[in-house]
Amino acid sequence: MNEPPETISEMDHDKVLEQAAAWLKDGHKVALATVIETWGSAPRPVGSQLAIRDDATFAGSVSGGCIEGDVVTRALDKLDGGAAEIVEYGVSDAKAWEVGLACGGRIRIMIEPVEGTA
């Protein structure tokens, strides 16, 4: 079984996708979260990704750690037939403060289940 890196910041975009493919090959269910839009001071650029395995193991980053917990929870809900979802976090959003996105910007993330095998 492939293990994720020690810290989420160690993994670049290509490696996140490689990790997701390896987890699929190992028989895991996988979801992918992708930063699709940012405004102001966002912690990660558009295109940043987080791969989430069915046991809540994850690799990559969509916010530098601020909102990963909420994104992982939402992603796990998608693994049993859930549809893709676009979620927005921002400093004016009470949920953003609750999950730790107090950097002054906003971020939109698409969370989607990944199907198939590698």
Side-chain angles (χ1 to χ4, degrees), residues 33-49 62-63 67 86-90 101 103 105-111:
T34 306
V35 176
I36 59 171
E37 197 169 6
T38 65
W39 303 267
S41 177
R44 300 282 294 157
V46 170
S48 297
Q49 293 186 304
V62 291
S63 74
I67 59 171
I86 295 177
V87 182
E88 184 174 322
Y89 299 92
L101 186 65
C103 59
R106 290 187 298 157
I107 185 171
R108 286 181 76 184
I109 298 172
M110 181 171 61
I111 305 168

Side-chain angles (χ1 to χ4, degrees), residues 19-109:
Q19 184 64 72
W23 288 338
L24 285 169
K25 185 176 180 183
D26 287 345
H28 289 280
K29 292 180 181 179
V30 176
L32 191 62
T34 306
V35 176
I36 59 171
E37 197 169 6
T38 65
W39 303 267
S41 177
R44 300 282 294 157
V46 170
S48 297
Q49 293 186 304
L50 180 71
I52 304 97
R53 193 168 74 181
D54 51 14
D55 64 357
T57 299
F58 61 92
S61 178
V62 291
S63 74
C66 304
I67 59 171
E68 265 74 4
D70 189 64
V71 171
V72 168
T73 298
R74 290 172 180 270
L76 293 172
D77 290 342
K78 308 281 174 237
L79 293 180
D80 289 320
E85 172 184 24
I86 295 177
V87 182
E88 184 174 322
Y89 299 92
V91 76
S92 62
D93 182 354
K95 183 67 172 175
W97 282 99
E98 180 182 318
V99 297
L101 186 65
C103 59
R106 290 187 298 157
I107 185 171
R108 286 181 76 184
I109 298 172

